[in-house]
Coordinates of all heavy atoms in Angstrom, one line a residue:
E1 N 208.7 -152.7 -121.5 CA 208.0 -153.9 -121.1 C 207.8 -154.0 -119.6 O 207.0 -154.8 -119.1 CB 208.8 -155.2 -121.6 CG 208.8 -155.3 -123.1 CD 209.6 -156.5 -123.5 OE1 209.9 -157.4 -122.7 OE2 209.9 -156.6 -124.7
R2 N 208.6 -153.3 -118.8 CA 208.6 -153.4 -117.4 C 207.7 -152.3 -116.8 O 207.4 -152.4 -115.6 CB 210.0 -153.2 -116.8 CG 210.9 -154.4 -117.2 CD 212.2 -154.3 -116.4 NE 213.2 -155.0 -117.1 CZ 214.5 -154.9 -116.8 NH1 214.9 -154.1 -115.8 NH2 215.4 -155.6 -117.4
G3 N 207.3 -151.3 -117.5 CA 206.5 -150.3 -116.9 C 207.0 -148.9 -117.2 O 208.0 -148.7 -117.8
V4 N 206.4 -147.9 -116.6 CA 206.7 -146.5 -116.7 C 206.9 -145.9 -115.3 O 206.1 -146.2 -114.4 CB 205.6 -145.7 -117.5 CG1 205.9 -144.3 -117.5 CG2 205.4 -146.3 -118.9
S5 N 208.0 -145.2 -115.1 CA 208.2 -144.6 -113.8 C 207.6 -143.2 -113.7 O 207.3 -142.8 -112.6 CB 209.7 -144.6 -113.5 OG 210.4 -143.7 -114.3
H6 N 207.5 -142.5 -114.8 CA 207.0 -141.1 -114.7 C 206.5 -140.6 -116.0 O 207.0 -141.0 -117.1 CB 208.2 -140.2 -114.2 CG 207.6 -138.9 -113.5 ND1 207.1 -138.9 -112.3 CD2 207.5 -137.7 -114.0 CE1 206.7 -137.7 -112.0 NE2 207.0 -136.9 -113.0
L7 N 205.6 -139.7 -115.9 CA 205.0 -139.0 -117.1 C 205.0 -137.5 -116.9 O 204.8 -137.0 -115.8 CB 203.5 -139.5 -117.3 CG 203.3 -141.0 -117.6 CD1 201.8 -141.3 -117.5 CD2 203.9 -141.4 -118.9
A8 N 205.1 -136.8 -118.0 CA 205.1 -135.3 -117.9 C 204.5 -134.8 -119.2 O 204.9 -135.2 -120.3 CB 206.4 -134.7 -117.7
F9 N 203.5 -133.9 -119.1 CA 203.0 -133.2 -120.3 C 203.8 -131.9 -120.6 O 204.3 -131.3 -119.7 CB 201.5 -132.7 -120.1 CG 200.5 -133.8 -120.3 CD1 200.0 -134.5 -119.2 CD2 200.1 -134.2 -121.6 CE1 199.1 -135.5 -119.4 CE2 199.2 -135.2 -121.8 CZ 198.7 -135.9 -120.7
S10 N 204.0 -131.7 -121.9 CA 204.7 -130.4 -122.3 C 203.9 -129.2 -121.9 O 202.7 -129.3 -121.7 CB 204.9 -130.4 -123.8 OG 203.7 -130.5 -124.5
P11 N 204.5 -128.1 -121.8 CA 203.8 -126.9 -121.3 C 202.6 -126.5 -122.2 O 201.5 -126.0 -121.7 CB 204.8 -125.8 -121.4 CG 206.1 -126.4 -121.2 CD 205.9 -127.8 -121.9
D12 N 202.6 -126.8 -123.5 CA 201.5 -126.5 -124.4 C 200.5 -127.7 -124.5 O 199.5 -127.6 -125.1 CB 202.0 -126.1 -125.8 CG 202.7 -127.3 -126.5 OD1 202.8 -128.4 -126.0 OD2 203.2 -127.0 -127.6
G13 N 200.8 -128.8 -123.8 CA 199.8 -129.9 -123.7 C 199.8 -130.8 -124.9 O 199.0 -131.7 -125.0
T14 N 200.7 -130.6 -125.9 CA 200.6 -131.4 -127.1 C 201.4 -132.7 -127.1 O 201.2 -133.6 -127.8 CB 201.1 -130.5 -128.3 OG1 202.5 -130.2 -128.1 CG2 200.3 -129.3 -128.5
R15 N 202.4 -132.7 -126.2 CA 203.3 -133.9 -126.1 C 203.3 -134.4 -124.7 O 203.1 -133.7 -123.7 CB 204.7 -133.5 -126.5 CG 204.7 -133.2 -128.0 CD 206.0 -132.6 -128.4 NE 206.0 -131.2 -127.9 CZ 207.1 -130.6 -127.6 NH1 208.3 -131.1 -127.8 NH2 207.1 -129.3 -127.2
L16 N 203.6 -135.7 -124.6 CA 203.7 -136.4 -123.3 C 205.0 -137.1 -123.3 O 205.4 -137.8 -124.3 CB 202.6 -137.4 -123.2 CG 202.6 -138.3 -121.9 CD1 202.3 -137.4 -120.7 CD2 201.5 -139.4 -122.0
A17 N 205.8 -136.9 -122.3 CA 207.1 -137.6 -122.1 C 206.9 -138.7 -121.1 O 206.3 -138.5 -120.1 CB 208.2 -136.7 -121.7
S18 N 207.6 -139.9 -121.3 CA 207.5 -141.0 -120.4 C 208.9 -141.5 -120.1 O 209.8 -141.5 -121.0 CB 206.6 -142.1 -120.9 OG 207.2 -142.7 -122.1
L19 N 209.2 -141.9 -118.9 CA 210.4 -142.6 -118.5 C 210.1 -144.1 -118.2 O 209.2 -144.4 -117.4 CB 211.0 -142.0 -117.3 CG 211.8 -140.7 -117.4 CD1 212.3 -140.2 -116.1 CD2 213.1 -141.0 -118.3
G20 N 210.8 -145.0 -118.9 CA 210.6 -146.4 -118.7 C 211.3 -147.0 -117.6 O 212.3 -146.4 -117.1
L21 N 210.9 -148.2 -117.1 CA 211.6 -148.9 -116.1 C 212.5 -150.0 -116.7 O 212.9 -150.9 -115.9 CB 210.5 -149.6 -115.2 CG 209.7 -148.6 -114.3 CD1 208.6 -149.4 -113.6 CD2 210.7 -147.9 -113.3
D22 N 212.8 -149.9 -117.9 CA 213.8 -150.8 -118.6 C 215.2 -150.5 -118.1 O 215.4 -149.6 -117.3 CB 213.7 -150.7 -120.1 CG 213.9 -149.3 -120.6 OD1 213.3 -148.3 -120.1 OD2 214.8 -149.1 -121.5
N23 N 216.2 -151.3 -118.5 CA 217.6 -151.1 -118.1 C 218.2 -149.7 -118.4 O 219.1 -149.3 -117.8 CB 218.5 -152.2 -118.6 CG 218.1 -153.6 -118.0 OD1 217.5 -153.6 -117.0 ND2 218.5 -154.6 -118.7
H24 N 217.7 -149.1 -119.5 CA 218.2 -147.8 -119.9 C 217.3 -146.7 -119.5 O 217.5 -145.5 -119.9 CB 218.5 -147.8 -121.4 CG 219.4 -148.8 -121.9 ND1 220.8 -148.7 -121.6 CD2 219.3 -150.0 -122.5 CE1 221.4 -149.8 -122.1 NE2 220.5 -150.6 -122.7
H25 N 216.2 -147.0 -118.8 CA 215.2 -145.9 -118.4 C 214.9 -145.0 -119.6 O 215.1 -143.8 -119.5 CB 215.7 -145.2 -117.2 CG 216.1 -146.2 -116.1 ND1 215.1 -146.7 -115.3 CD2 217.3 -146.7 -115.7 CE1 215.7 -147.6 -114.4 NE2 217.0 -147.6 -114.7
T26 N 214.4 -145.7 -120.6 CA 214.2 -145.0 -121.9 C 213.2 -143.9 -121.8 O 212.1 -144.0 -121.2 CB 213.7 -146.0 -122.9 OG1 214.7 -147.0 -123.0 CG2 213.5 -145.4 -124.3
L27 N 213.6 -142.7 -122.4 CA 212.7 -141.6 -122.5 C 212.0 -141.7 -123.8 O 212.6 -141.9 -124.9 CB 213.5 -140.3 -122.5 CG 212.8 -139.0 -122.9 CD1 211.8 -138.6 -121.8 CD2 213.8 -137.9 -123.2
I28 N 210.7 -141.6 -123.8 CA 209.9 -141.5 -125.1 C 209.0 -140.3 -125.1 O 208.4 -140.0 -124.1 CB 209.0 -142.8 -125.2 CG1 209.8 -144.0 -125.2 CG2 208.2 -142.7 -126.5 CD1 209.0 -145.3 -125.2
L29 N 209.1 -139.6 -126.2 CA 208.2 -138.4 -126.4 C 207.1 -138.8 -127.3 O 207.3 -139.3 -128.4 CB 209.1 -137.2 -127.0 CG 208.4 -135.9 -127.0 CD1 208.1 -135.4 -125.6 CD2 209.2 -134.9 -127.8
W30 N 205.9 -138.5 -126.8 CA 204.7 -139.0 -127.5 C 203.8 -137.9 -128.1 O 203.7 -136.8 -127.4 CB 203.8 -139.8 -126.6 CG 204.3 -141.0 -125.9 CD1 205.1 -141.1 -124.8 CD2 204.2 -142.3 -126.4 NE1 205.5 -142.4 -124.6 CE2 204.9 -143.2 -125.5 CE3 203.5 -142.9 -127.5 CZ2 205.0 -144.5 -125.7 CZ3 203.6 -144.3 -127.7 CH2 204.3 -145.1 -126.8
D31 N 203.2 -138.1 -129.2 CA 202.1 -137.3 -129.6 C 200.9 -138.0 -129.0 O 200.4 -139.0 -129.6 CB 202.0 -137.2 -131.1 CG 200.8 -136.4 -131.6 OD1 199.7 -136.3 -130.9 OD2 200.8 -135.9 -132.8
W32 N 200.5 -137.6 -127.8 CA 199.5 -138.4 -127.1 C 198.1 -138.4 -127.7 O 197.4 -139.4 -127.6 CB 199.4 -137.9 -125.6 CG 198.8 -136.6 -125.4 CD1 199.5 -135.4 -125.4 CD2 197.4 -136.3 -125.2 NE1 198.6 -134.4 -125.2 CE2 197.3 -134.9 -125.1 CE3 196.3 -137.1 -125.1 CZ2 196.1 -134.3 -124.8 CZ3 195.1 -136.4 -124.9 CH2 195.0 -135.1 -124.7
R33 N 197.8 -137.4 -128.5 CA 196.5 -137.4 -129.1 C 196.4 -138.5 -130.2 O 195.4 -139.1 -130.5 CB 196.2 -136.0 -129.7 CG 195.9 -135.0 -128.6 CD 195.5 -133.7 -129.2 NE 195.1 -132.7 -128.2 CZ 195.9 -131.7 -127.9 NH1 197.0 -131.4 -128.6 NH2 195.5 -130.9 -126.9
R34 N 197.5 -138.7 -130.9 CA 197.6 -139.7 -132.0 C 198.0 -141.0 -131.4 O 198.1 -142.0 -132.2 CB 198.5 -139.2 -133.1 CG 198.1 -138.0 -133.8 CD 199.0 -137.7 -134.9 NE 198.6 -136.4 -135.5 CZ 199.4 -135.6 -136.1 NH1 200.7 -135.8 -136.1 NH2 199.0 -134.5 -136.6
R35 N 198.4 -141.1 -130.1 CA 198.9 -142.3 -129.5 C 200.1 -142.8 -130.3 O 200.3 -144.0 -130.4 CB 197.9 -143.3 -129.4 CG 196.7 -142.9 -128.5 CD 195.6 -143.9 -128.4 NE 194.5 -143.4 -127.6 CZ 193.5 -144.1 -127.4 NH1 193.3 -145.3 -127.8 NH2 192.5 -143.5 -126.6
A36 N 201.0 -141.9 -130.7 CA 202.2 -142.3 -131.5 C 203.5 -141.7 -130.9 O 203.5 -140.6 -130.5 CB 202.0 -141.7 -132.9
P37 N 204.5 -142.6 -130.8 CA 205.8 -142.1 -130.3 C 206.4 -141.2 -131.3 O 206.4 -141.5 -132.5 CB 206.6 -143.3 -130.1 CG 206.0 -144.4 -130.9 CD 204.5 -144.0 -131.1
L38 N 207.0 -140.1 -130.9 CA 207.7 -139.2 -131.8 C 209.2 -139.5 -131.8 O 209.9 -139.4 -132.9 CB 207.5 -137.7 -131.3 CG 206.1 -137.2 -131.4 CD1 206.0 -135.9 -130.7 CD2 205.6 -137.1 -132.8
V39 N 209.8 -139.7 -130.7 CA 211.2 -140.0 -130.6 C 211.5 -140.7 -129.2 O 210.7 -140.6 -128.3 CB 212.1 -138.7 -130.7 CG1 211.8 -137.8 -129.5 CG2 213.5 -138.9 -130.8
S40 N 212.6 -141.5 -129.2 CA 213.0 -142.2 -127.9 C 214.5 -142.1 -127.8 O 215.2 -141.9 -128.8 CB 212.5 -143.6 -127.9 OG 213.1 -144.4 -128.8
A41 N 214.9 -142.2 -126.6 CA 216.4 -142.1 -126.3 C 216.7 -142.9 -125.0 O 215.8 -142.9 -124.1 CB 216.9 -140.7 -126.2
K42 N 217.8 -143.5 -124.9 CA 218.3 -144.1 -123.7 C 218.6 -143.0 -122.7 O 219.4 -142.1 -123.1 CB 219.5 -145.0 -123.9 CG 219.2 -146.2 -124.8 CD 220.5 -147.0 -125.0 CE 220.3 -148.1 -125.9 NZ 221.5 -148.9 -126.2
A43 N 218.0 -143.0 -121.6 CA 218.1 -141.9 -120.6 C 219.4 -142.1 -119.7 O 220.2 -141.2 -119.7 CB 216.9 -141.7 -119.8
H44 N 219.4 -143.2 -119.0 CA 220.5 -143.4 -118.1 C 220.5 -144.8 -117.6 O 219.5 -145.5 -117.6 CB 220.3 -142.4 -116.9 CG 221.6 -142.1 -116.2 ND1 222.3 -142.9 -115.4 CD2 222.4 -140.9 -116.3 CE1 223.4 -142.3 -114.9 NE2 223.5 -141.1 -115.5
N45 N 221.6 -145.3 -117.1 CA 221.7 -146.7 -116.5 C 221.2 -146.7 -115.1 O 220.7 -147.7 -114.6 CB 223.1 -147.2 -116.5 CG 223.5 -147.5 -118.0 OD1 222.7 -147.8 -118.8 ND2 224.8 -147.5 -118.2
E46 N 221.2 -145.5 -114.4 CA 220.7 -145.4 -113.1 C 219.2 -145.1 -113.1 O 218.7 -144.4 -114.1 CB 221.4 -144.3 -112.3 CG 222.8 -144.6 -112.0 CD 223.1 -145.7 -111.0 OE1 222.2 -146.0 -110.2 OE2 224.1 -146.3 -111.0
P47 N 218.4 -145.5 -112.2 CA 217.0 -145.2 -112.2 C 216.7 -143.7 -112.1 O 217.3 -143.0 -111.4 CB 216.4 -145.9 -110.9 CG 217.4 -147.0 -110.6 CD 218.7 -146.5 -111.1
L48 N 215.7 -143.3 -112.9 CA 215.3 -141.9 -112.9 C 213.8 -141.9 -112.5 O 213.0 -142.7 -113.0 CB 215.4 -141.3 -114.3 CG 216.9 -141.2 -114.8 CD1 216.9 -140.8 -116.3 CD2 217.7 -140.3 -114.0
F49 N 213.4 -141.0 -111.6 CA 212.1 -141.0 -111.0 C 211.3 -139.8 -111.2 O 210.1 -139.7 -110.9 CB 212.2 -141.4 -109.5 CG 212.8 -142.7 -109.2 CD1 214.0 -142.8 -108.6 CD2 212.2 -143.9 -109.6 CE1 214.6 -144.0 -108.3 CE2 212.8 -145.1 -109.4 CZ 214.0 -145.2 -108.7
Q50 N 211.9 -138.7 -111.6 CA 211.2 -137.4 -111.8 C 211.5 -137.0 -113.3 O 212.6 -137.2 -113.8 CB 211.8 -136.4 -110.9 CG 211.4 -136.6 -109.5 CD 209.9 -136.5 -109.2 OE1 209.2 -135.6 -109.7 NE2 209.4 -137.3 -108.4
L51 N 210.5 -136.3 -113.9 CA 210.6 -135.9 -115.2 C 209.8 -134.6 -115.3 O 208.6 -134.5 -115.0 CB 210.0 -136.9 -116.2 CG 210.1 -136.6 -117.7 CD1 211.5 -136.5 -118.2 CD2 209.4 -137.7 -118.5
R52 N 210.4 -133.5 -115.8 CA 209.8 -132.2 -115.9 C 210.2 -131.5 -117.2 O 211.4 -131.5 -117.6 CB 210.1 -131.3 -114.8 CG 209.7 -131.8 -113.4 CD 208.3 -131.4 -113.1 NE 207.9 -131.7 -111.8 CZ 207.5 -132.8 -111.3 NH1 207.4 -133.8 -112.0 NH2 207.2 -132.9 -110.0
F53 N 209.3 -130.9 -117.9 CA 209.6 -129.9 -118.9 C 209.9 -128.6 -118.3 O 209.4 -128.2 -117.2 CB 208.4 -129.7 -119.8 CG 208.2 -130.8 -120.9 CD1 207.4 -131.9 -120.6 CD2 208.8 -130.7 -122.1 CE1 207.2 -132.8 -121.6 CE2 208.6 -131.6 -123.1 CZ 207.8 -132.7 -122.8
N54 N 210.8 -127.9 -118.9 CA 211.1 -126.5 -118.5 C 209.9 -125.6 -118.8 O 209.7 -125.5 -120.0 CB 212.4 -126.0 -119.2 CG 212.7 -124.6 -118.8 OD1 212.0 -123.9 -118.1 ND2 213.8 -124.1 -119.4
P55 N 209.2 -125.1 -117.9 CA 208.0 -124.4 -118.2 C 208.2 -123.1 -118.9 O 207.4 -122.6 -119.7 CB 207.3 -124.1 -116.8 CG 208.4 -124.2 -115.9 CD 209.4 -125.2 -116.4
A56 N 209.4 -122.5 -118.8 CA 209.8 -121.3 -119.5 C 210.4 -121.5 -120.8 O 210.7 -120.6 -121.6 CB 210.7 -120.4 -118.6
G57 N 210.7 -122.8 -121.2 CA 211.5 -123.1 -122.4 C 210.6 -123.5 -123.6 O 211.2 -123.9 -124.6
G58 N 209.3 -123.4 -123.5 CA 208.5 -123.7 -124.6 C 208.4 -125.2 -124.9 O 208.0 -125.6 -125.9
G59 N 208.8 -126.0 -123.9 CA 208.7 -127.5 -124.1 C 209.9 -128.1 -124.9 O 209.8 -129.2 -125.3
D60 N 211.0 -127.3 -125.0 CA 212.2 -127.8 -125.7 C 213.2 -128.4 -124.8 O 214.2 -129.0 -125.3 CB 212.8 -126.7 -126.5 CG 211.9 -126.3 -127.6 OD1 211.0 -127.0 -128.0 OD2 212.1 -125.2 -128.1
V61 N 213.0 -128.4 -123.5 CA 214.0 -128.9 -122.5 C 213.3 -129.8 -121.5 O 212.3 -129.4 -120.9 CB 214.8 -127.8 -121.8 CG1 215.8 -128.3 -120.8 CG2 215.5 -126.9 -122.8
L62 N 213.8 -131.0 -121.3 CA 213.3 -131.9 -120.3 C 214.4 -132.2 -119.3 O 215.5 -132.4 -119.7 CB 212.9 -133.2 -121.0 CG 211.5 -133.4 -121.5 CD1 211.4 -134.6 -122.4 CD2 210.6 -133.6 -120.3
C63 N 214.0 -132.3 -118.1 CA 215.0 -132.7 -117.0 C 214.5 -134.0 -116.3 O 213.3 -134.1 -116.0 CB 215.1 -131.6 -116.0 SG 215.7 -130.1 -116.7
A64 N 215.4 -134.9 -116.1 CA 215.0 -136.1 -115.4 C 216.0 -136.3 -114.3 O 217.2 -136.0 -114.4 CB 215.1 -137.3 -116.4
A65 N 215.5 -136.8 -113.1 CA 216.4 -137.0 -112.0 C 216.1 -138.3 -111.2 O 214.9 -138.7 -111.2 CB 216.2 -135.8 -111.0
G66 N 217.1 -138.8 -110.6 CA 216.9 -140.0 -109.8 C 217.8 -139.9 -108.5 O 218.2 -138.8 -108.2
V67 N 218.0 -141.0 -107.9 CA 218.8 -141.0 -106.6 C 220.3 -140.6 -106.9 O 220.9 -139.8 -106.2 CB 218.7 -142.3 -105.9 CG1 219.6 -142.4 -104.7 CG2 217.2 -142.6 -105.5
K68 N 220.9 -141.3 -107.9 CA 222.3 -141.1 -108.2 C 222.5 -140.4 -109.5 O 223.7 -140.4 -110.0 CB 223.0 -142.4 -108.2 CG 223.0 -143.1 -106.9 CD 223.7 -144.4 -107.0 CE 223.7 -145.2 -105.7 NZ 224.4 -146.5 -105.8
A69 N 221.5 -139.9 -110.2 CA 221.7 -139.4 -111.5 C 220.7 -138.3 -111.9 O 219.7 -138.2 -111.3 CB 221.6 -140.5 -112.5
Y70 N 221.1 -137.5 -112.8 CA 220.2 -136.5 -113.5 C 220.6 -136.4 -114.9 O 221.7 -136.7 -115.3 CB 220.1 -135.2 -112.8 CG 221.3 -134.3 -113.0 CD1 221.3 -133.4 -114.1 CD2 222.5 -134.4 -112.3 CE1 222.4 -132.6 -114.4 CE2 223.6 -133.7 -112.5 CZ 223.5 -132.7 -113.6 OH 224.6 -132.0 -113.8
K71 N 219.6 -136.0 -115.7 CA 219.9 -135.8 -117.2 C 219.1 -134.7 -117.7 O 217.9 -134.5 -117.3 CB 219.5 -137.1 -117.9 CG 220.1 -137.3 -119.2 CD 221.6 -137.7 -119.1 CE 222.0 -138.5 -120.3 NZ 223.3 -139.1 -120.2
I72 N 219.6 -133.9 -118.6 CA 218.9 -132.8 -119.3 C 218.8 -133.2 -120.7 O 219.9 -133.5 -121.4 CB 219.6 -131.5 -119.1 CG1 219.6 -131.2 -117.6 CG2 218.9 -130.4 -119.8 CD1 220.4 -129.9 -117.2
F73 N 217.7 -133.1 -121.3 CA 217.4 -133.5 -122.7 C 217.0 -132.2 -123.5 O 216.1 -131.5 -123.0 CB 216.3 -134.5 -122.9 CG 216.7 -135.8 -122.2 CD1 216.3 -136.1 -120.9 CD2 217.4 -136.8 -122.9 CE1 216.6 -137.3 -120.3 CE2 217.7 -138.0 -122.3 CZ 217.3 -138.2 -121.0
Y74 N 217.6 -132.0 -124.6 CA 217.2 -130.9 -125.5 C 216.5 -131.5 -126.7 O 217.1 -132.3 -127.4 CB 218.5 -130.1 -125.9 CG 219.2 -129.5 -124.7 CD1 220.2 -130.2 -124.1 CD2 218.8 -128.3 -124.2 CE1 220.9 -129.7 -123.0 CE2 219.5 -127.8 -123.1 CZ 220.5 -128.5 -122.5 OH 221.2 -128.0 -121.4
L75 N 215.3 -131.0 -126.9 CA 214.5 -131.6 -128.0 C 214.6 -130.6 -129.2 O 214.4 -129.4 -129.1 CB 213.0 -131.6 -127.6 CG 212.8 -132.4 -126.3 CD1 211.3 -132.3 -125.9 CD2 213.2 -133.8 -126.4
E76 N 215.1 -131.1 -130.3 CA 215.3 -130.3 -131.5 C 214.7 -130.9 -132.7 O 214.7 -132.1 -132.9 CB 216.8 -130.2 -131.7 CG 217.6 -129.6 -130.5 CD 219.1 -129.7 -130.7 OE1 219.6 -130.3 -131.6 OE2 219.8 -129.1 -129.8
S77 N 214.2 -130.0 -133.6 CA 213.8 -130.5 -134.9 C 214.9 -130.3 -135.9 O 215.8 -129.5 -135.7 CB 212.5 -129.7 -135.3 OG 212.8 -128.3 -135.4
P78 N 215.0 -131.0 -137.0 CA 216.1 -131.0 -137.9 C 216.5 -129.6 -138.4 O 216.4 -129.1 -138.5 CB 215.8 -131.9 -139.0 CG 214.9 -132.9 -138.3 CD 214.2 -132.1 -137.2
G79 N 216.1 -128.6 -138.6 CA 216.4 -127.3 -139.0 C 216.5 -126.3 -137.9 O 216.5 -125.2 -138.1
G80 N 216.6 -126.8 -136.7 CA 216.7 -125.9 -135.5 C 215.3 -125.5 -135.1 O 214.3 -126.0 -135.6
G81 N 215.2 -124.5 -134.3 CA 213.9 -123.9 -133.9 C 213.2 -124.7 -132.8 O 212.1 -124.4 -132.5
G82 N 213.8 -125.7 -132.3 CA 213.2 -126.4 -131.2 C 212.1 -127.4 -131.6 O 212.0 -127.7 -132.8
A83 N 211.3 -127.9 -130.7 CA 210.4 -128.9 -131.0 C 209.0 -128.4 -131.1 O 208.0 -129.1 -131.1 CB 210.4 -130.0 -129.8
G84 N 208.8 -127.1 -131.2 CA 207.5 -126.5 -131.3 C 206.9 -126.6 -132.7 O 207.4 -127.4 -133.5
G85 N 205.9 -125.9 -132.9 CA 205.2 -125.9 -134.3 C 204.1 -127.0 -134.3 O 203.6 -127.3 -133.3
D86 N 203.9 -127.4 -135.5 CA 202.7 -128.3 -135.7 C 203.1 -129.8 -135.5 O 202.3 -130.6 -135.6 CB 202.2 -128.2 -137.1 CG 203.2 -128.6 -138.2 OD1 204.3 -129.0 -137.9 OD2 202.8 -128.4 -139.4
G87 N 204.3 -130.1 -135.1 CA 204.7 -131.4 -134.8 C 205.0 -132.3 -136.0 O 205.3 -133.5 -135.9
A88 N 205.0 -131.7 -137.2 CA 205.2 -132.5 -138.4 C 206.6 -132.9 -138.6 O 206.9 -133.9 -139.2 CB 204.7 -131.7 -139.7
A89 N 207.6 -132.1 -138.2 CA 209.0 -132.3 -138.3 C 209.4 -133.4 -137.3 O 209.0 -133.4 -136.2 CB 209.8 -131.1 -138.1
P90 N 210.3 -134.4 -137.8 CA 210.8 -135.3 -136.8 C 211.7 -134.7 -135.8 O 212.3 -133.6 -136.0 CB 211.6 -136.3 -137.7 CG 211.8 -135.6 -139.0 CD 210.8 -134.5 -139.1
L91 N 211.7 -135.3 -134.6 CA 212.4 -134.7 -133.5 C 213.6 -135.5 -133.1 O 213.6 -136.7 -133.4 CB 211.5 -134.6 -132.2 CG 210.3 -133.8 -132.4 CD1 209.4 -134.0 -131.1 CD2 210.6 -132.3 -132.6
T92 N 214.7 -134.9 -132.6 CA 215.8 -135.6 -132.1 C 216.0 -135.2 -130.6 O 215.6 -134.1 -130.2 CB 217.1 -135.3 -132.9 OG1 217.3 -133.9 -132.8 CG2 217.0 -135.8 -134.3
V93 N 216.7 -136.0 -129.9 CA 217.0 -135.7 -128.5 C 218.5 -135.7 -128.3 O 219.2 -136.6 -128.7 CB 216.4 -136.8 -127.5 CG1 216.8 -136.5 -126.1 CG2 214.9 -136.9 -127.7
S94 N 219.0 -134.5 -127.9 CA 220.4 -134.4 -127.6 C 220.6 -134.3 -126.1 O 219.7 -133.8 -125.4 CB 221.0 -133.2 -128.3 OG 220.4 -132.0 -127.9
K95 N 221.6 -134.9 -125.6 CA 221.8 -135.0 -124.1 C 223.0 -134.1 -123.7 O 223.9 -133.8 -124.5 CB 222.1 -136.5 -123.7 CG 221.1 -137.4 -124.1 CD 221.4 -138.8 -123.8 CE 221.2 -139.7 -125.0 NZ 221.6 -141.0 -124.8

């Protein structure tokens, strides 16, 4: 409700990650073509201002950083294998 501090596209261009300006600086992973959220997670109580996918990781690792905090997110589909593929499998975020 308060806005978005940062956006990042996955290396393959299929997903968009956003960091919110809410109290938990919520991370949301989007299927941007369908305009649908795939998964969300509370990122950190401290403000986070940068968000990047690991370009060598196939889009399965996200890093967020702020003045007093950083967080690494691992995107996983329920049977392993990361968050790649056709996007049909639900995703989870582990910190």
Side-chain angles (χ1 to χ4, degrees):
E1 294 181 13
R2 294 187 202 168
V4 174
S5 69
H6 203 75
L7 299 169
F9 279 98
S10 61
D12 65 3
T14 61
R15 292 168 288 155
L16 178 67
S18 64
L19 278 176
L21 290 172
D22 58 310
N23 291 340
H24 300 289
H25 305 282
T26 302
L27 168 73
I28 302 176
L29 190 65
W30 299 85
D31 177 336
W32 69 270
R33 288 185 178 110
R34 294 182 186 151
R35 298 179 182 180
L38 298 171
V39 67
S40 66
K42 295 177 182 177
H44 207 284
N45 291 335
E46 294 291 335
L48 298 170
F49 300 112
Q50 293 291 321
L51 182 64
R52 297 277 191 271
F53 278 91
N54 177 358
D60 294 340
V61 179
L62 268 166
C63 299
V67 175
K68 297 181 182 178
Y70 75 93
K71 199 77 156 192
I72 299 172
F73 299 92
Y74 300 92
L75 308 175
E76 301 171 353
S77 57
D86 64 3
L91 301 172
T92 59
V93 175
S94 59
K95 304 176 228 176

